[in-house]
Amino acid sequence: MSLKNNVLHILELNKGANISGQELADMLFVSRTAVWKAINSLKQEGYIINATSNKGYSLSFSSDVISSEGINLFLNDEYKNIPITVYKSLASTNTEAKIEAMNNAVHGTVIISEEQTKGRGRFGREFFSPSESGIYMSIILKPNLNIADSVLITTAAAVAVCNSIDKFTDEKPQIKWVNDIYIKNKKVCGILTEAVTDFESGGVESVIVGIGLNVKTKEEEFPTELQNIAESIFHADDKFCIRNQLAAEIINNVLSICEKLEDKKFLEIYKERSMILGEYILYNKNNEWLEGFALDIDEYGGLIIINKYGQKEALHSGEVSIKKAK
Ligand code: BTN
């Protein structure tokens, strides 16, 4: 680790508290001038570091730069060694993660970016990913599962993200099948799961779980067409600057839920959080919108509906919306 990263690690560990230049220098076996240079380059990268002449340096509570050091602090012990790469800007973390997965990235590798210029959503849609206001990250999983169980990763990831949001807000996030997360009927998070298959065996070699969470994007910052349908989990006035902690919580939850995927216990939580079960819905099938009743979620994460002919049907992919009363 570079000196700058070591200084950052200590400041993140003591966020809000003062540490003198001499203390930092002693801890890291370097000169005070070297510490001063490291602090300056961190400030240039956007970290808010207060310097007081007789107290030293402190990382401000309002500093909210995503860093691997900042995330690592909040990871469970068993995940402390996962590789985390943070970018200022990327086209898409999922695209980068796919490249890494094909280059033998290890299970749990995380790619995260402060902004995406071509963030991808499901059905070829764009995912709005403005700088420094969300969490846009991809987790590479090497699940060693058959294809049917790999599909469950999508469902499990939605539960993992909801559980993580729960830790920081009083809102009760809900899931719109398959894996969009809503608070008060507005979307706060989308998840794009992509598989990298082994060309020879045809099996799933890696699964990329791409998570886009609107953390503090203000209403007026969303494009007009999203303003009525998208939302952030925190609002400007909340002054929450904990994206590293939140990202770590999501990583902890995704990795641990995926370790127990086969027991399928998370499906119960998924159902409790569902915003469509028990509702009349519109679902898209063969490019046609049809009416149905959302009855249940099956053991593969499929949506069981009752169609307009009164027959039960299982949907395994696609899109739904709640049918509004006329
Ligand atoms: C959707 O809403 O349809 C899914 C959106 C998924 C967005 C995330 S952001 C991180 C990762 N990188 C991408 O390009 N997409 C996913």
Side-chain angles (χ1 to χ4, degrees), residues 75-272:
L75 288 179
N76 294 346
D77 285 347
E78 62 268 41
Y79 306 135
K80 290 270 187 211
N81 289 328
I82 60 168
I84 300 176
T85 313
V86 180
Y87 293 84
K88 277 271 165 242
S89 181
L90 264 186
S92 153
T93 58
N94 262 35
T95 306
E96 181 63 26
K98 269 192 188 172
I99 297 169
E100 299 255 337
M102 287 189 282
N103 286 330
N104 296 324
V106 296
H107 175 76
T109 298
V110 174
I111 310 290
I112 183 162
S113 186
E114 283 282 10
E115 79 165 347
Q116 296 184 117
T117 51
K118 289 204 169 89
R120 295 189 283 115
R122 295 173 72 228
F123 311 112
R125 293 183 189 135
E126 190 195 332
F127 187 81
F128 180 61
S129 318
S131 186
E132 294 166 23
S133 63
I135 291 177
Y136 319 115
M137 79 173 161
S138 302
I139 307 174
I140 302 174
L141 303 174
K142 305 262 169 167
N144 210 0
L145 294 170
N146 59 39
I147 292 193
D149 282 341
S150 300
V151 173
L152 279 172
I153 290 178
T154 302
T155 321
V159 171
V161 174
C162 285
N163 290 349
S164 310
I165 297 174
D166 267 357
K167 186 162 172 182
F168 301 96
T169 74
D170 293 331
E171 316 286 355
K172 192 104 186 98
Q174 289 187 294
I175 303 169
K176 183 158 84 73
W177 187 82
V178 181
N179 52 0
D180 285 338
I181 298 175
Y182 278 67
I183 288 179
K184 295 194 183 120
N185 291 322
K186 284 187 169 180
K187 179 166 163 175
V188 294
C189 178
I191 301 176
L192 177 68
T193 315
E194 296 181 294
V196 177
T197 47
D198 180 346
F199 198 60
E200 278 172 18
S201 70
V204 177
E205 190 191 275
S206 313
V207 174
I208 316 285
V209 180
I211 298 164
L213 176 63
N214 304 324
V215 180
K216 50 187 186 179
T217 313
K218 296 186 193 127
E219 191 181 342
E220 64 274 18
E221 288 167 353
F222 284 105
T224 330
E225 67 276 15
L226 294 183
Q227 283 179 5
N228 288 327
I229 51 177
E231 170 69 301
S232 293
I233 59 166
F234 301 142
H235 299 97
D237 295 342
D238 292 337
K239 293 207 171 59
F240 271 112
C241 296
I242 49 163
R243 284 184 303 149
N244 285 319
Q245 196 175 346
L246 184 52
E249 187 69 22
I250 295 173
I251 298 166
N252 285 333
N253 283 336
V254 169
L255 292 179
S256 72
I257 211 165
C258 287
E259 278 162 20
K260 304 180 287 269
L261 206 63
E262 279 147 315
D263 75 18
K264 302 188 180 179
K265 283 206 181 113
F266 62 88
L267 281 174
E268 284 313 309
I269 308 176
Y270 184 93
K271 288 186 208 181
E272 279 164 26

Side-chain angles (χ1 to χ4, degrees), residues 2 16 22 41 52 61 78 81 92 106 114 121 226 281 319:
S2 69
Q22 191 60 56
S41 82
T52 327
F61 278 120
E78 62 268 41
N81 289 328
S92 153
V106 296
E114 283 282 10
L226 294 183
I281 56 160
E319 199 179 10

Side-chain angles (χ1 to χ4, degrees), residues 3-12 24 28 38-39 42:
L3 173 62
K4 187 183 72 183
N5 290 0
N6 283 329
V7 170
L8 176 60
H9 182 84
I10 297 171
L11 292 179
E12 286 276 11
L24 282 166
L28 298 168
I39 295 275
L42 287 169

